[in-house]
Amino acid sequence: MKVAVAFDHRGVHLRDAVLEVLADKAREIGEAIQRGQAERGVLVCGSGVGAAVAVCKLAGIRGSVCHDTYSAHQGVEHDDMNVLCLGSEVVGPSLARELVATFLAAKFDGGERYVERLLKVAEMERVMKDGEVPAS
């Protein structure tokens, strides 16, 4: 599995711990996934929130802050999350290693209800791709 990672100025505190688990590093996580250069990404900033907000602006990117292992695997299994966002000021190196390993080991469930949910999200992206909210 190819994985892209990036760290902002506050995320560098977890760089060594995260890179111990990962093989690849890339600056533009979302675009790397969109281009097929990576299947998943790990993005680290101070809280994880800014990273998640930014990466989710890209079509087809499903990123989330996960500071516990349940969310790290459940986000992949049920929502096909493809970017894990971590906060370097929230988690330490040991938990970061565990979160990244859990995220990478998880597989999308593929169940009908989860696929239907993803299709609804894709439709929202398609309809609102230019930032326009359709009339109700």
PDB file of all heavy atoms in Angstrom, residues 109-135:
ATOM      1  N   ASP A 109     -15.352  -2.270   4.788  1.00  0.00           N
ATOM      2  CA  ASP A 109     -16.289  -3.375   4.946  1.00  0.00           C
ATOM      3  C   ASP A 109     -16.977  -3.726   3.626  1.00  0.00           C
ATOM      4  O   ASP A 109     -17.209  -4.894   3.328  1.00  0.00           O
ATOM      5  CB  ASP A 109     -17.321  -3.009   6.020  1.00  0.00           C
ATOM      6  CG  ASP A 109     -18.348  -4.078   6.254  1.00  0.00           C
ATOM      7  OD1 ASP A 109     -19.352  -4.111   5.505  1.00  0.00           O
ATOM      8  OD2 ASP A 109     -18.166  -4.887   7.186  1.00  0.00           O
ATOM      9  N   GLY A 110     -17.341  -2.718   2.842  1.00  0.00           N
ATOM     10  CA  GLY A 110     -17.999  -2.949   1.565  1.00  0.00           C
ATOM     11  C   GLY A 110     -19.458  -3.329   1.657  1.00  0.00           C
ATOM     12  O   GLY A 110     -20.092  -3.639   0.654  1.00  0.00           O
ATOM     13  N   GLY A 111     -20.018  -3.297   2.868  1.00  0.00           N
ATOM     14  CA  GLY A 111     -21.428  -3.626   3.045  1.00  0.00           C
ATOM     15  C   GLY A 111     -22.329  -2.632   2.326  1.00  0.00           C
ATOM     16  O   GLY A 111     -21.953  -1.479   2.095  1.00  0.00           O
ATOM     17  N   GLU A 112     -23.507  -3.094   1.964  1.00  0.00           N
ATOM     18  CA  GLU A 112     -24.443  -2.290   1.173  1.00  0.00           C
ATOM     19  C   GLU A 112     -24.718  -0.921   1.806  1.00  0.00           C
ATOM     20  O   GLU A 112     -24.709   0.099   1.123  1.00  0.00           O
ATOM     21  CB  GLU A 112     -25.755  -3.055   0.997  1.00  0.00           C
ATOM     22  CG  GLU A 112     -26.754  -2.338   0.126  1.00  0.00           C
ATOM     23  CD  GLU A 112     -28.029  -3.150  -0.082  1.00  0.00           C
ATOM     24  OE1 GLU A 112     -28.024  -4.375   0.138  1.00  0.00           O
ATOM     25  OE2 GLU A 112     -29.037  -2.529  -0.463  1.00  0.00           O
ATOM     26  N   ARG A 113     -24.957  -0.885   3.101  1.00  0.00           N
ATOM     27  CA  ARG A 113     -25.274   0.396   3.747  1.00  0.00           C
ATOM     28  C   ARG A 113     -24.107   1.364   3.685  1.00  0.00           C
ATOM     29  O   ARG A 113     -24.283   2.566   3.558  1.00  0.00           O
ATOM     30  CB  ARG A 113     -25.744   0.184   5.181  1.00  0.00           C
ATOM     31  CG  ARG A 113     -24.666  -0.399   6.088  1.00  0.00           C
ATOM     32  CD  ARG A 113     -25.213  -0.913   7.375  1.00  0.00           C
ATOM     33  NE  ARG A 113     -25.148   0.125   8.396  1.00  0.00           N
ATOM     34  CZ  ARG A 113     -25.404  -0.092   9.655  1.00  0.00           C
ATOM     35  NH1 ARG A 113     -25.783  -1.290  10.064  1.00  0.00           N
ATOM     36  NH2 ARG A 113     -25.302   0.867  10.535  1.00  0.00           N
ATOM     37  N   TYR A 114     -22.864   0.841   3.761  1.00  0.00           N
ATOM     38  CA  TYR A 114     -21.689   1.707   3.710  1.00  0.00           C
ATOM     39  C   TYR A 114     -21.434   2.204   2.286  1.00  0.00           C
ATOM     40  O   TYR A 114     -21.051   3.359   2.088  1.00  0.00           O
ATOM     41  CB  TYR A 114     -20.468   0.982   4.262  1.00  0.00           C
ATOM     42  CG  TYR A 114     -20.716   0.426   5.650  1.00  0.00           C
ATOM     43  CD1 TYR A 114     -20.504  -0.913   5.932  1.00  0.00           C
ATOM     44  CD2 TYR A 114     -21.195   1.242   6.676  1.00  0.00           C
ATOM     45  CE1 TYR A 114     -20.744  -1.425   7.200  1.00  0.00           C
ATOM     46  CE2 TYR A 114     -21.451   0.732   7.943  1.00  0.00           C
ATOM     47  CZ  TYR A 114     -21.216  -0.595   8.186  1.00  0.00           C
ATOM     48  OH  TYR A 114     -21.470  -1.098   9.441  1.00  0.00           O
ATOM     49  N   VAL A 115     -21.668   1.344   1.330  1.00  0.00           N
ATOM     50  CA  VAL A 115     -21.514   1.749  -0.079  1.00  0.00           C
ATOM     51  C   VAL A 115     -22.564   2.802  -0.426  1.00  0.00           C
ATOM     52  O   VAL A 115     -22.257   3.801  -1.084  1.00  0.00           O
ATOM     53  CB  VAL A 115     -21.603   0.530  -1.017  1.00  0.00           C
ATOM     54  CG1 VAL A 115     -21.662   0.961  -2.475  1.00  0.00           C
ATOM     55  CG2 VAL A 115     -20.416  -0.407  -0.779  1.00  0.00           C
ATOM     56  N   GLU A 116     -23.805   2.593   0.008  1.00  0.00           N
ATOM     57  CA  GLU A 116     -24.863   3.585  -0.242  1.00  0.00           C
ATOM     58  C   GLU A 116     -24.505   4.939   0.365  1.00  0.00           C
ATOM     59  O   GLU A 116     -24.718   5.978  -0.246  1.00  0.00           O
ATOM     60  CB  GLU A 116     -26.198   3.092   0.323  1.00  0.00           C
ATOM     61  CG  GLU A 116     -26.824   1.986  -0.493  1.00  0.00           C
ATOM     62  CD  GLU A 116     -28.124   1.473   0.118  1.00  0.00           C
ATOM     63  OE1 GLU A 116     -28.693   2.146   1.013  1.00  0.00           O
ATOM     64  OE2 GLU A 116     -28.566   0.392  -0.292  1.00  0.00           O
ATOM     65  N   ARG A 117     -23.946   4.924   1.558  1.00  0.00           N
ATOM     66  CA  ARG A 117     -23.530   6.163   2.220  1.00  0.00           C
ATOM     67  C   ARG A 117     -22.454   6.881   1.390  1.00  0.00           C
ATOM     68  O   ARG A 117     -22.506   8.090   1.199  1.00  0.00           O
ATOM     69  CB  ARG A 117     -22.998   5.845   3.612  1.00  0.00           C
ATOM     70  CG  ARG A 117     -22.619   7.064   4.410  1.00  0.00           C
ATOM     71  CD  ARG A 117     -21.995   6.715   5.756  1.00  0.00           C
ATOM     72  NE  ARG A 117     -22.824   5.819   6.542  1.00  0.00           N
ATOM     73  CZ  ARG A 117     -22.362   5.021   7.505  1.00  0.00           C
ATOM     74  NH1 ARG A 117     -21.087   5.005   7.807  1.00  0.00           N
ATOM     75  NH2 ARG A 117     -23.182   4.258   8.172  1.00  0.00           N
ATOM     76  N   LEU A 118     -21.481   6.132   0.902  1.00  0.00           N
ATOM     77  CA  LEU A 118     -20.416   6.727   0.091  1.00  0.00           C
ATOM     78  C   LEU A 118     -20.954   7.279  -1.226  1.00  0.00           C
ATOM     79  O   LEU A 118     -20.483   8.323  -1.696  1.00  0.00           O
ATOM     80  CB  LEU A 118     -19.322   5.702  -0.188  1.00  0.00           C
ATOM     81  CG  LEU A 118     -18.452   5.351   1.006  1.00  0.00           C
ATOM     82  CD1 LEU A 118     -17.471   4.245   0.628  1.00  0.00           C
ATOM     83  CD2 LEU A 118     -17.722   6.564   1.533  1.00  0.00           C
ATOM     84  N   LEU A 119     -21.927   6.617  -1.809  1.00  0.00           N
ATOM     85  CA  LEU A 119     -22.538   7.119  -3.042  1.00  0.00           C
ATOM     86  C   LEU A 119     -23.249   8.449  -2.786  1.00  0.00           C
ATOM     87  O   LEU A 119     -23.212   9.347  -3.632  1.00  0.00           O
ATOM     88  CB  LEU A 119     -23.491   6.084  -3.636  1.00  0.00           C
ATOM     89  CG  LEU A 119     -22.827   4.831  -4.206  1.00  0.00           C
ATOM     90  CD1 LEU A 119     -23.881   3.796  -4.601  1.00  0.00           C
ATOM     91  CD2 LEU A 119     -21.923   5.182  -5.381  1.00  0.00           C
ATOM     92  N   LYS A 120     -23.887   8.575  -1.636  1.00  0.00           N
ATOM     93  CA  LYS A 120     -24.539   9.842  -1.278  1.00  0.00           C
ATOM     94  C   LYS A 120     -23.503  10.956  -1.121  1.00  0.00           C
ATOM     95  O   LYS A 120     -23.723  12.088  -1.563  1.00  0.00           O
ATOM     96  CB  LYS A 120     -25.347   9.691   0.012  1.00  0.00           C
ATOM     97  CG  LYS A 120     -26.600   8.868  -0.149  1.00  0.00           C
ATOM     98  CD  LYS A 120     -27.316   8.711   1.176  1.00  0.00           C
ATOM     99  CE  LYS A 120     -28.539   7.826   1.032  1.00  0.00           C
ATOM    100  NZ  LYS A 120     -29.257   7.641   2.309  1.00  0.00           N
ATOM    101  N   VAL A 121     -22.380  10.646  -0.498  1.00  0.00           N
ATOM    102  CA  VAL A 121     -21.317  11.637  -0.333  1.00  0.00           C
ATOM    103  C   VAL A 121     -20.754  12.034  -1.698  1.00  0.00           C
ATOM    104  O   VAL A 121     -20.537  13.216  -1.974  1.00  0.00           O
ATOM    105  CB  VAL A 121     -20.202  11.117   0.595  1.00  0.00           C
ATOM    106  CG1 VAL A 121     -18.994  12.042   0.592  1.00  0.00           C
ATOM    107  CG2 VAL A 121     -20.737  10.933   2.017  1.00  0.00           C
ATOM    108  N   ALA A 122     -20.538  11.056  -2.565  1.00  0.00           N
ATOM    109  CA  ALA A 122     -20.023  11.342  -3.911  1.00  0.00           C
ATOM    110  C   ALA A 122     -20.997  12.223  -4.688  1.00  0.00           C
ATOM    111  O   ALA A 122     -20.582  13.133  -5.419  1.00  0.00           O
ATOM    112  CB  ALA A 122     -19.756  10.045  -4.663  1.00  0.00           C
ATOM    113  N   GLU A 123     -22.280  11.979  -4.520  1.00  0.00           N
ATOM    114  CA  GLU A 123     -23.287  12.802  -5.187  1.00  0.00           C
ATOM    115  C   GLU A 123     -23.255  14.227  -4.639  1.00  0.00           C
ATOM    116  O   GLU A 123     -23.372  15.193  -5.397  1.00  0.00           O
ATOM    117  CB  GLU A 123     -24.679  12.185  -5.023  1.00  0.00           C
ATOM    118  CG  GLU A 123     -25.797  12.999  -5.640  1.00  0.00           C
ATOM    119  CD  GLU A 123     -25.709  13.166  -7.157  1.00  0.00           C
ATOM    120  OE1 GLU A 123     -24.892  12.479  -7.804  1.00  0.00           O
ATOM    121  OE2 GLU A 123     -26.459  14.000  -7.705  1.00  0.00           O
ATOM    122  N   MET A 124     -23.092  14.376  -3.346  1.00  0.00           N
ATOM    123  CA  MET A 124     -22.964  15.713  -2.757  1.00  0.00           C
ATOM    124  C   MET A 124     -21.755  16.437  -3.350  1.00  0.00           C
ATOM    125  O   MET A 124     -21.844  17.612  -3.705  1.00  0.00           O
ATOM    126  CB  MET A 124     -22.796  15.626  -1.237  1.00  0.00           C
ATOM    127  CG  MET A 124     -24.060  15.281  -0.498  1.00  0.00           C
ATOM    128  SD  MET A 124     -23.827  14.958   1.287  1.00  0.00           S
ATOM    129  CE  MET A 124     -22.641  16.131   1.809  1.00  0.00           C
ATOM    130  N   GLU A 125     -20.642  15.738  -3.479  1.00  0.00           N
ATOM    131  CA  GLU A 125     -19.442  16.339  -4.065  1.00  0.00           C
ATOM    132  C   GLU A 125     -19.695  16.769  -5.499  1.00  0.00           C
ATOM    133  O   GLU A 125     -19.278  17.838  -5.918  1.00  0.00           O
ATOM    134  CB  GLU A 125     -18.274  15.352  -4.038  1.00  0.00           C
ATOM    135  CG  GLU A 125     -17.686  15.121  -2.687  1.00  0.00           C
ATOM    136  CD  GLU A 125     -16.576  14.091  -2.695  1.00  0.00           C
ATOM    137  OE1 GLU A 125     -16.439  13.319  -3.681  1.00  0.00           O
ATOM    138  OE2 GLU A 125     -15.831  14.044  -1.703  1.00  0.00           O
ATOM    139  N   ARG A 126     -20.382  15.925  -6.267  1.00  0.00           N
ATOM    140  CA  ARG A 126     -20.648  16.217  -7.672  1.00  0.00           C
ATOM    141  C   ARG A 126     -21.543  17.443  -7.816  1.00  0.00           C
ATOM    142  O   ARG A 126     -21.252  18.356  -8.583  1.00  0.00           O
ATOM    143  CB  ARG A 126     -21.299  15.018  -8.363  1.00  0.00           C
ATOM    144  CG  ARG A 126     -21.440  15.191  -9.878  1.00  0.00           C
ATOM    145  CD  ARG A 126     -22.300  14.115 -10.499  1.00  0.00           C
ATOM    146  NE  ARG A 126     -23.698  14.182 -10.094  1.00  0.00           N
ATOM    147  CZ  ARG A 126     -24.569  15.106 -10.503  1.00  0.00           C
ATOM    148  NH1 ARG A 126     -24.201  16.048 -11.327  1.00  0.00           N
ATOM    149  NH2 ARG A 126     -25.812  15.088 -10.092  1.00  0.00           N
ATOM    150  N   VAL A 127     -22.613  17.475  -7.057  1.00  0.00           N
ATOM    151  CA  VAL A 127     -23.590  18.557  -7.155  1.00  0.00           C
ATOM    152  C   VAL A 127     -22.998  19.875  -6.658  1.00  0.00           C
ATOM    153  O   VAL A 127     -23.269  20.931  -7.224  1.00  0.00           O
ATOM    154  CB  VAL A 127     -24.871  18.200  -6.357  1.00  0.00           C
ATOM    155  CG1 VAL A 127     -25.798  19.384  -6.224  1.00  0.00           C
ATOM    156  CG2 VAL A 127     -25.591  17.034  -7.013  1.00  0.00           C
ATOM    157  N   MET A 128     -22.163  19.808  -5.641  1.00  0.00           N
ATOM    158  CA  MET A 128     -21.656  21.030  -5.018  1.00  0.00           C
ATOM    159  C   MET A 128     -20.199  21.325  -5.400  1.00  0.00           C
ATOM    160  O   MET A 128     -19.541  22.105  -4.735  1.00  0.00           O
ATOM    161  CB  MET A 128     -21.777  20.904  -3.501  1.00  0.00           C
ATOM    162  CG  MET A 128     -23.214  20.712  -3.045  1.00  0.00           C
ATOM    163  SD  MET A 128     -23.363  20.410  -1.279  1.00  0.00           S
ATOM    164  CE  MET A 128     -22.941  22.007  -0.642  1.00  0.00           C
ATOM    165  N   LYS A 129     -19.718  20.751  -6.485  1.00  0.00           N
ATOM    166  CA  LYS A 129     -18.292  20.856  -6.805  1.00  0.00           C
ATOM    167  C   LYS A 129     -17.801  22.281  -7.010  1.00  0.00           C
ATOM    168  O   LYS A 129     -16.638  22.566  -6.804  1.00  0.00           O
ATOM    169  CB  LYS A 129     -17.925  19.979  -7.985  1.00  0.00           C
ATOM    170  CG  LYS A 129     -18.158  20.558  -9.338  1.00  0.00           C
ATOM    171  CD  LYS A 129     -17.642  19.622 -10.398  1.00  0.00           C
ATOM    172  CE  LYS A 129     -17.632  20.326 -11.726  1.00  0.00           C
ATOM    173  NZ  LYS A 129     -17.217  19.500 -12.790  1.00  0.00           N
ATOM    174  N   ASP A 130     -18.653  23.187  -7.409  1.00  0.00           N
ATOM    175  CA  ASP A 130     -18.249  24.569  -7.585  1.00  0.00           C
ATOM    176  C   ASP A 130     -18.652  25.435  -6.405  1.00  0.00           C
ATOM    177  O   ASP A 130     -18.712  26.657  -6.500  1.00  0.00           O
ATOM    178  CB  ASP A 130     -18.855  25.130  -8.883  1.00  0.00           C
ATOM    179  CG  ASP A 130     -18.295  24.429 -10.107  1.00  0.00           C
ATOM    180  OD1 ASP A 130     -17.071  24.161 -10.121  1.00  0.00           O
ATOM    181  OD2 ASP A 130     -19.070  24.139 -11.030  1.00  0.00           O
ATOM    182  N   GLY A 131     -18.951  24.807  -5.274  1.00  0.00           N
ATOM    183  CA  GLY A 131     -19.313  25.538  -4.075  1.00  0.00           C
ATOM    184  C   GLY A 131     -20.736  26.040  -4.072  1.00  0.00           C
ATOM    185  O   GLY A 131     -21.144  26.789  -3.203  1.00  0.00           O
ATOM    186  N   GLU A 132     -21.490  25.645  -5.081  1.00  0.00           N
ATOM    187  CA  GLU A 132     -22.876  26.103  -5.180  1.00  0.00           C
ATOM    188  C   GLU A 132     -23.802  25.152  -4.432  1.00  0.00           C
ATOM    189  O   GLU A 132     -23.684  23.945  -4.537  1.00  0.00           O
ATOM    190  CB  GLU A 132     -23.305  26.157  -6.655  1.00  0.00           C
ATOM    191  CG  GLU A 132     -22.478  27.130  -7.466  1.00  0.00           C
ATOM    192  CD  GLU A 132     -22.814  27.089  -8.949  1.00  0.00           C
ATOM    193  OE1 GLU A 132     -23.874  26.532  -9.310  1.00  0.00           O
ATOM    194  OE2 GLU A 132     -22.010  27.590  -9.727  1.00  0.00           O
ATOM    195  N   VAL A 133     -24.682  25.723  -3.670  1.00  0.00           N
ATOM    196  CA  VAL A 133     -25.676  24.919  -2.956  1.00  0.00           C
ATOM    197  C   VAL A 133     -26.921  24.892  -3.828  1.00  0.00           C
ATOM    198  O   VAL A 133     -27.504  25.930  -4.147  1.00  0.00           O
ATOM    199  CB  VAL A 133     -26.013  25.541  -1.584  1.00  0.00           C
ATOM    200  CG1 VAL A 133     -27.063  24.716  -0.878  1.00  0.00           C
ATOM    201  CG2 VAL A 133     -24.748  25.642  -0.737  1.00  0.00           C
ATOM    202  N   PRO A 134     -27.341  23.680  -4.247  1.00  0.00           N
ATOM    203  CA  PRO A 134     -28.524  23.585  -5.099  1.00  0.00           C
ATOM    204  C   PRO A 134     -29.781  24.014  -4.358  1.00  0.00           C
ATOM    205  O   PRO A 134     -29.903  23.827  -3.157  1.00  0.00           O
ATOM    206  CB  PRO A 134     -28.587  22.123  -5.478  1.00  0.00           C
ATOM    207  CG  PRO A 134     -27.722  21.391  -4.518  1.00  0.00           C
ATOM    208  CD  PRO A 134     -26.750  22.380  -3.933  1.00  0.00           C
ATOM    209  N   ALA A 135     -30.710  24.610  -5.104  1.00  0.00           N
ATOM    210  CA  ALA A 135     -31.993  25.006  -4.523  1.00  0.00           C
ATOM    211  C   ALA A 135     -32.758  23.779  -4.078  1.00  0.00           C
ATOM    212  O   ALA A 135     -32.735  22.752  -4.728  1.00  0.00           O
ATOM    213  CB  ALA A 135     -32.801  25.815  -5.536  1.00  0.00           C
TER     214      ALA A 135
END
